[in-house]
Amino acid sequence: MTTLFSPFKLGRYTLPNRIVMAPMTRARAIDLRPNLDTAIYYQQRASAGLIISEGVPISEEGRGQAYTPGIYNPAQVEAWRKVTRAVHERGGRMFAQLWHVGRASHTSQQVGGLAPVGASDLKGENVYTWVVGDDGVAGMVPQSQPRQLATEEVARVTSDFVHAARCALEAEFDGIELHGANGYLFEQFINASVNNRSDRYGGSIANRLRFTLETVDAVAAAIGADRVGIRLAPFGRFNDMRPFEQERETWLALASELSKRNLAYVHLSDQETLGEQGIPQGFVAEFRAAYAGTLILAGGYDKQRGVAALDADKADLIAIGRAFIANPDLVERMRHDWPLAEPDRATFYGLGNHGYTDYPAYQLTPQA
Ligand SMILES: Cc1cc2nc3c(=O)[nH]c(=O)nc-3n(C[C@H](O)[C@H](O)[C@H](O)COP(=O)(O)O)c2cc1C
């Protein structure tokens, strides 16, 4: 019987268990690169079958939030290499989540105070991003008016992803995950409520999927398809992703296109436990029927739900987010049914190691 603790062959890697650490932005990078605390934080969690890093901007243009560490210049590569080596030293494996936020940004995050770029010039309504103001204090501000990427610029963004993927391998990551979830650039192209383009990247389902698939193909050609995963959030509404016609058909078309590409995995993120709309009942099974490769599910999983999902063959791997923040030894705690610590939301984001590297591993108290 498959359990959360059975090994799994993921591309060229063998994972010792099926528990994946979900990507989580922790906003601790002062100078746009990771630091010693980052290495400690991920090393403490190296018993995960696979760690997926926090969202890592692929370029200056791809940045949307304060204190996020990028992966596009030599100093960042060198800094990330210390992190991946710390994880490998403890026998772990780690993919970098490559992130371009698209319109979900603010002029203060862009070089020269320029407008963020998007699939269109439609601005998200009532959506905010976290930036450091002129007074040096971080706070939430409404996302800025975006500028639509010109047709010929789209290939340049794809090549920025390829560059970042190469940087990730140079930094000794084991692979990369394209961040196609949560209303960022890929989803802005996929979602017809945002994408109102009239060129080959807009309109039909095939056109709206084109940027994502061109990038998947280019990155796979550069670093090997078996080192490339992609995260999606079908029907997710985060960052003002509104319903659109043929929404289900769009995601299923993407599933069957991805199915042809022998990727490391597809990772579906259900946003329901984050207070957003979840993936509709039955849709994961439809997606799995259309997508032949390795499937990771994330969103509100504990041991019981994870085991149930694997038993029912809904997925191959289970990704867990918030519980990993407070439980560096989550795998061992789940294996032994030890109690879990609760994460403190107040320290999810922001500088310093409090709420980051200071959650202890479980201490067994000797029984009298
Ligand atoms: C603090 C925090 C930061 C997050 N950052 C990211 C991110 O950078 N990329 C991403 O795809 N998802 C991100 N997520 C979503 C998580 O990966 C995960 O899908 C979500 O927390 C639901 O899983 P859980 O119920 O196990 O926590 C973040 C979630 C949290 C709580």
Side-chain angles (χ1 to χ4, degrees):
M1 192 184 81
T2 299
T3 76
L4 282 170
F5 311 102
S6 317
F8 184 76
K9 188 109 180 56
L10 184 80
R12 61 190 79 182
Y13 308 109
T14 301
L15 315 186
N17 61 67
R18 294 171 184 237
I19 301 171
V20 175
M21 180 175 164
M24 280 181 293
T25 292
R26 303 303 311 277
R28 258 100 178 156
I30 299 164
D31 45 9
L32 310 184
R33 53 181 193 256
N35 52 45
L36 180 62
D37 282 341
T38 325
I40 294 170
Y41 167 73
Y42 284 114
Q43 185 181 60
Q44 289 170 335
R45 288 153 183 80
S47 55
L50 175 70
I51 294 175
I52 303 168
S53 79
E54 61 210 277
V56 178
I58 58 150
S59 59
E60 295 283 345
E61 177 193 87
R63 299 176 42 75
Q65 293 202 36
Y67 307 131
T68 49
I71 189 140
Y72 45 87
N73 68 37
Q76 292 165 341
V77 167
E78 202 181 308
W80 275 115
R81 196 182 291 123
K82 292 188 180 129
V83 177
T84 58
R85 285 188 179 173
V87 169
H88 290 147
E89 207 177 277
R90 292 283 162 88
R93 291 137 302 276
M94 185 168 184
F95 276 35
Q97 190 188 47
L98 300 189
W99 192 20
H100 190 308
V101 302
R103 72 175 186 175
S105 185
H106 185 259
T107 51
S108 66
Q109 299 296 290
Q110 298 293 313
V111 175
L114 293 174
V117 300
S120 69
D121 61 4
L122 293 175
K123 184 174 175 301
E125 296 298 329
N126 299 316
V127 277
Y128 296 82
T129 190
W130 194 69
V131 305
V132 180
D134 292 339
D135 52 2
V137 178
M140 299 295 268
V141 293
Q143 294 173 7
S144 301
Q145 171 63 45
R147 169 181 78 77
Q148 176 173 320
L149 282 163
T151 309
E152 60 280 4
E153 276 181 293
V154 179
R156 192 264 303 151
V157 179
T158 293
S159 64
D160 288 345
F161 271 99
V162 170
H163 172 71
R166 289 208 170 102
C167 287
L169 282 210
E170 232 184 284
E172 299 175 18
F173 278 100
D174 299 297
I176 66 96
E177 173 177 288
L178 296 174
H179 193 347
N182 301 351
Y184 297 113
L185 188 60
F186 289 115
E187 211 178 321
Q188 293 161 27
F189 273 87
I190 293 167
N191 185 309
S193 84
V194 182
N195 182 343
N196 60 6
R197 304 175 69 97
S198 52
D199 62 2
R200 64 179 189 276
Y201 293 103
S204 65
I205 291 177
N207 281 359
R208 282 182 283 109
L209 298 182
R210 190 180 310 282
F211 166 57
T212 303
L213 293 171
E214 282 181 356
T215 305
V216 166
D217 289 341
V219 170
I223 68 166
D226 66 337
R227 284 202 275 226
V228 177
I230 183 167
R231 190 174 220 215
L232 306 171
F235 301 91
R237 300 286 172 246
F238 191 68
N239 271 318
D240 199 21
M241 290 295 111
R242 300 180 195 171
F244 56 98
E245 262 179 49
Q246 294 195 298
E247 190 162 11
R248 182 176 152 276
E249 291 78 1
T250 299
W251 292 114
L252 292 177
L254 183 54
S256 43
E257 279 302 321
L258 292 172
S259 199
K260 300 173 188 162
R261 287 164 162 86
N262 290 316
L263 300 181
Y265 62 80
V266 172
H267 181 178
L268 296 185
S269 158
D270 187 312
Q271 299 170 349
E272 192 169 348
T273 53
L274 296 177
E276 299 280 335
Q277 175 179 291
I279 299 175
Q281 191 82 22
F283 183 76
V284 170
E286 279 187 273
F287 192 99
R288 186 137 166 96
Y291 174 71
T294 295
L295 192 66
I296 308 181
L297 291 183
Y301 283 92
D302 56 13
K303 180 172 176 177
Q304 202 186 350
R305 280 197 67 208
V307 168
L310 294 182
D311 277 351
D313 195 34
K314 287 187 178 159
D316 303 292
L317 300 168
I318 300 298
I320 300 183
R322 287 161 294 180
F324 258 114
I325 291 180
N327 300 277
D329 55 342
L330 185 66
V331 173
E332 281 308 283
R333 292 199 202 207
M334 283 187 163
R335 194 193 303 275
H336 299 291
D337 291 317
W338 291 337
L340 299 188
E342 284 298 317
D344 176 8
R345 291 180 58 93
T347 52
F348 276 4
Y349 309 104
L351 300 178
N353 74 341
H354 179 50
Y356 191 45
T357 55
D358 59 354
Y359 285 106
Y362 185 67
Q363 297 288 330
L364 268 183
T365 35
Q367 300 294 306

